[in-house]
Amino acid sequence: MQLAKLRQLVVDTLDDMKARDVQVMDVRGKTAVTDYMIVASGTSDRHVKAIAETVAFRSKEAGEVPLGTEGLNEGEWALVDLNGVVVHVMLPKVRDFYNLERLWSAPEPVAQSAAARA
């Protein structure tokens, strides 16, 4: 499946499942782990689990089998790894604490030569 279609499938699924505050972050060039990170909030641990399970199910139906899922038992923070797209679904308090949006939007540090620092 093309990356853009997979990303849209995830966003549409999050919308269908009433996920809140969906943020799509293009992390190409910042990490080799994935191209896009999508962060969303659920209203309860059951909602977080249901959202993540539905994302995994619908992506599998579309031919993109998740590489893995984490946190489905606890429900505070669930992750679905779709290779080119990694989906984080969290309770608002967990999302506020880890603040992944700030982490992944931070600018790259600029390397200075030894002569420039002197």
Side-chain angles (χ1 to χ4, degrees):
M1 173 179 273
Q2 287 183 334
L3 188 58
K5 287 185 179 184
L6 178 60
R7 185 184 67 224
Q8 192 59 51
L9 172 75
V10 170
V11 170
D12 291 345
T13 301
L14 293 170
D15 186 52
D16 291 347
M17 293 298 296
K18 308 293 187 232
R20 296 187 176 179
D21 195 20
V22 176
Q23 298 291 318
V24 178
M25 296 176 286
D26 184 341
V27 295
R28 291 176 289 190
K30 293 184 178 187
T31 182
V33 173
T34 191
D35 292 324
Y36 292 94
M37 285 203 190
I38 300 177
V39 182
S41 295
T43 57
S44 68
D45 58 345
R46 281 182 180 237
H47 191 215
V48 168
K49 289 189 266 188
I51 293 168
E53 287 172 346
T54 304
V55 166
F57 178 77
R58 288 192 181 166
S59 65
K60 188 175 181 180
E61 273 187 330
E64 192 69 39
V65 179
L67 296 178
T69 57
E70 295 290 331
L72 295 179
N73 292 331
E74 295 80 20
E76 287 189 355
W77 180 352
L79 179 140
V80 181
D81 185 348
L82 300 169
N83 195 18
V85 177
V86 173
V87 185
H88 299 270
V89 185
M90 302 179 219
L91 291 175
K93 66 181 181 181
V94 176
R95 186 171 178 175
D96 288 344
F97 181 79
Y98 288 101
N99 202 353
L100 294 179
E101 292 93 333
R102 184 178 61 82
L103 175 70
W104 287 106
S105 66
E108 294 291 318
V110 177
Q112 293 182 347
S113 68
R117 287 182 288 214

